[in-house]
């Protein structure tokens, strides 16, 4: 899909559909919409009077052959309340319009920003909305709907003076949204098409393409590094584990400067192991590598955006299977850090693989850790599929990250990490146990387990179990993988 910006006045723009947005409060016919209304001889005013154009959030009003415009159609999209309108709203409007028009067989559209809206931030949001909306999960369908595609999106409403800001935003939005779609494509892959080795191959190919340094640790290297927690999960499968390491180094890296470590859980399939999961919905456990995909997506975007600090991604990849050699409940494992773990439940494997991932990242010299993982079903109980659960210490570091989440338009909610929860992962026979004692707080005890391996390094943990995949499509996004957290991580790395 092509995306470009034009400064051509939109009345003279030839396109299959010109899209813009209207607000629900005050008179919807204002500013540029008033100009469109005049050009059409008062048609829009009539639509307001008949109640067909009210500006309610994501209300669509499609006008064919609009008078005074070269466009074949005019699509007016409700934007809700004027004072609540922001880049996040615009991202959704852009995405929802693209999907609305795509499903109607339209191939080319132009998106017009309103008066005052010709900014870099808005261009980025429109690009992100459109490109993530264009993603479909039909890779394995042999009867793809080949007539339903968007060829090009033109961004319009920018003056000559606003053009370069608009293009900068467009470019940045394209990079970030492409990275999200890259991750979503991985998340969508079934586990027979995405083993740890295949994931490593794909990561290496991506690194080569965008100019990142990459190294893949195989099972021998993993063994010699004594990654006992990762190996204990991997031993139940015939597929050997991998640890994917990608490194971005800025042009003039300063010694002593911060280094961000991005650690992502990549369990390419989670059966639960000997503590096996029920059959219902088990097929979803192909997306248990979503944290790893998130970090690969973030690295891909950062390779283009070039932050001024170093970033290292460490992605432990394995299957969690109940093979003959599988670990059993009650087993004690020694993690790379030397901490001993009593395995109460082999289905609490994500924290095990992250334990060694964090230890290895610290060994590589990272000064700040962010981990992302489809870690717990409990985060769904706490926050449904709305917010990512965000944990971290120190609190200022977490708050700084939450500012980035806000700027990126991704909903994340701070979760508690008080010492009382640490008590719940104390083991009778080892240093820690891999599930909490007592009832409740499952997402928090999971986070605490990981924190044991972050030690004194500033650390953020994102539990994306309920948000990295959505079962119902949204007007602006296909159902399935969402690519959540990439935008926040990229924003954060660019600002640190
Ligand atoms: N991968 C799952 C968590 C998950 C659940 C992700 C649903 C996406 C959707 C994780 O490995 C797991 O099984 N967690 C257990 C932990 C428990 C055994 C302490 C869980 O949440 O039930
Ligand atoms: Mn599990
Ligand atoms: Zn899992």
């Amino acid at each position: 899909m092509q995306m470009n910006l034009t400064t051509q006045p939109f009345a003279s723009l030839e396109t299959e559909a010109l899209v813009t947005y209207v607000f629900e409060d005050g008179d919807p016919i204002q500013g540029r919409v008033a100009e469109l209304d005049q050009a059409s001889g008062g048609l829009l005013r009539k639509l307001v009077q008949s109640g067909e154009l009210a500006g309610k959030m994501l209300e669509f009003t499609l006008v064919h052959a609009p008078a005074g415009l070269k466009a074949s159609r005019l699509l007016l999209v409700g934007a809700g309340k004027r004072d609540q309108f922001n880049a996040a709203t615009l991202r959704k409007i852009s995405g929802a319009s693209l999907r609305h028009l795509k499903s109607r067989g339209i191939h080319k559209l132009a998106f017009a920003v309103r008066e005052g809206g010709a900014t870099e931030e808005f261009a980025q949001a429109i690009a992100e909305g459109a490109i993530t909306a264009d993603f479909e999960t039909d890779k394995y369908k042999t009867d793809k709907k080949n007539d339903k595609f968007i060829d090009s999106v033109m961004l319009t409403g920018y003056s000559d003076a606003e053009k370069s800001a608009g293009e900068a935003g467009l470019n940045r939005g394209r990079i970030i949204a492409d990275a999200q779609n890259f991750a979503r494509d991985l998340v969508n892959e079934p586990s027979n098409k995405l083993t740890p080795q295949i994931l490593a191959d794909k990561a290496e190919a991506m690194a080569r393409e965008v100019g990142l340094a990459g190294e893949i640790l195989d099972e021998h290297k993993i063994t010699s590094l004594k990654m006992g927690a990762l190996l204990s999960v991997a031993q139940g499968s015939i597929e050997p584990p991998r640890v994917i390491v990608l490194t971005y180094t800025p042009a003039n890296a300063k010694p002593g400067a911060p280094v961000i470590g991005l650690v992502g859980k990549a369990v390419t399939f989670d059966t639960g192991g000997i503590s096996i999961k029920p059959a219902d919905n088990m097929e979803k456990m192909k997306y248990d590598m979503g944290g790893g995909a998130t970090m690969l997506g973030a690295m891909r975007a950062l390779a283009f955006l070039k932050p001024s600090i170093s970033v290292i991604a460490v992605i432990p990849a394995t299957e969690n299977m109940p093979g003959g050699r599988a670990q059993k409940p009650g087993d004690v494992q020694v993690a790379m850090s030397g901490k001993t773990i009593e395995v109460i439940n082999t289905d609490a494997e994500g924290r095990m693989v992250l334990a060694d991932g964090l230890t290895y990242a610290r060994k590589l010299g990272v000064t700040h850790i962010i981990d992302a993982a489809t870690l717990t079903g409990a985060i769904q109980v706490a926050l449904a599929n709305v917010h990512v659960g965000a944990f971290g210490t120190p609190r200022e570091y977490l708050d700084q990250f939450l500012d980035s989440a806000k700027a990126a338009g991704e909903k994340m909610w701070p979760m508690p990490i008080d010492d009382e929860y640490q008590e719940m992962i104390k083991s009778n026979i080892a240093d820690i146990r891999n599930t909490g004692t007592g009832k409740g707080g499952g997402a928090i005890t999971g986070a605490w387990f990981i924190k044991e391996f972050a030690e004194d390094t500033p650390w953020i943990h994102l539990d994306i179990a309920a948000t990295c995949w959505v079962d119902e499509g949204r007007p602006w996004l296909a159902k399935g993988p969402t690519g959540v957290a990439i935008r926040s991580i990229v924003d954060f790395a660019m600002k640190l």
Side-chain angles (χ1 to χ4, degrees), residues 82-103:
R82 220 172 272 269
D83 63 347
Q84 280 164 26
F85 180 77
N86 57 23
T89 331
L90 193 53
R91 190 183 291 108
K92 288 180 186 165
I93 291 174
S94 160
S97 328
L98 182 136
R99 293 186 71 76
H100 187 83
L101 294 169
K102 178 156 86 169
S103 70

Side-chain angles (χ1 to χ4, degrees), residues 282-318:
M282 204 207 269
E283 76 285 355
K284 296 272 168 53
M285 283 302 112
K286 69 173 187 178
Y287 81 73
D288 213 18
M289 32 59 68
T294 301
M295 296 322 190
L296 290 176
M299 289 306 282
R300 183 179 174 87
L302 291 172
F304 290 111
L305 296 172
K306 306 201 184 307
S308 55
I309 55 164
S310 296
V311 188
I312 305 177
V314 175
I315 300 163
T318 179

Side-chain angles (χ1 to χ4, degrees), residues 22 25-35 45 82 114-115:
V22 289
D25 42 352
D27 185 359
I29 309 290
Q30 284 188 35
R32 285 192 182 154
V33 172
E35 289 169 33
R45 174 67 66 200
R82 220 172 272 269
R114 294 279 300 269
E115 60 281 5

Side-chain angles (χ1 to χ4, degrees), residues 252-459:
N252 30 27
K254 290 184 197 75
V259 180
I260 302 186
L262 303 179
V263 186
K265 168 181 173 182
V267 173
T268 58
F269 197 82
D270 180 12
T271 65
I274 295 299
S275 315
I276 198 160
K277 288 181 182 292
D280 268 2
N281 289 317
M282 204 207 269
E283 76 285 355
K284 296 272 168 53
M285 283 302 112
K286 69 173 187 178
Y287 81 73
D288 213 18
M289 32 59 68
T294 301
M295 296 322 190
L296 290 176
M299 289 306 282
R300 183 179 174 87
L302 291 172
F304 290 111
L305 296 172
K306 306 201 184 307
S308 55
I309 55 164
S310 296
V311 188
I312 305 177
V314 175
I315 300 163
T318 179
E319 287 186 336
N320 185 23
M321 296 285 285
R325 287 179 175 280
Q327 69 177 335
K328 300 169 284 298
D331 287 0
V332 172
Q333 309 292 358
V334 186
M336 184 185 180
S337 77
K339 279 207 167 109
T340 55
I341 304 164
E342 184 186 8
V343 179
I344 303 297
N345 189 317
T346 65
D347 198 10
E349 86 298 341
R351 60 201 75 183
M352 306 277 293
V353 312
L354 286 172
D356 288 342
L358 262 74
T359 303
Y360 190 65
R362 291 182 76 238
K363 193 184 145 177
L364 294 178
V366 310
T367 60
H368 294 73
I369 295 172
I370 303 174
D371 82 64
T374 48
L375 202 77
T376 65
I379 203 66
Q380 169 126 34
V381 177
L383 301 173
N385 61 8
V386 178
H387 287 87
V388 170
F391 301 78
T393 51
R395 181 61 204 226
E396 305 75 64
Y397 178 51
L398 175 60
D399 285 340
Q400 202 182 336
F401 186 82
L402 290 172
D403 287 344
S404 280
K406 196 155 197 197
E410 292 185 314
K411 287 188 193 283
M412 302 204 179
W413 200 256
M415 297 287 291
I417 190 84
D418 305 50
D419 293 344
E420 284 88 338
Y421 299 99
Q422 186 182 21
E423 296 300 313
M424 301 180 188
I425 56 164
K426 292 223 161 112
S427 162
N428 288 332
I429 63 161
D431 296 336
I432 48 175
R433 42 185 279 151
N434 78 335
T435 63
T437 54
K439 292 199 183 72
I444 310 172
T445 48
W448 243 112
F449 183 98
I450 302 169
K451 180 170 152 55
E452 294 279 354
F453 298 88
E455 305 209 13
D456 54 1
T457 306
W459 158 80

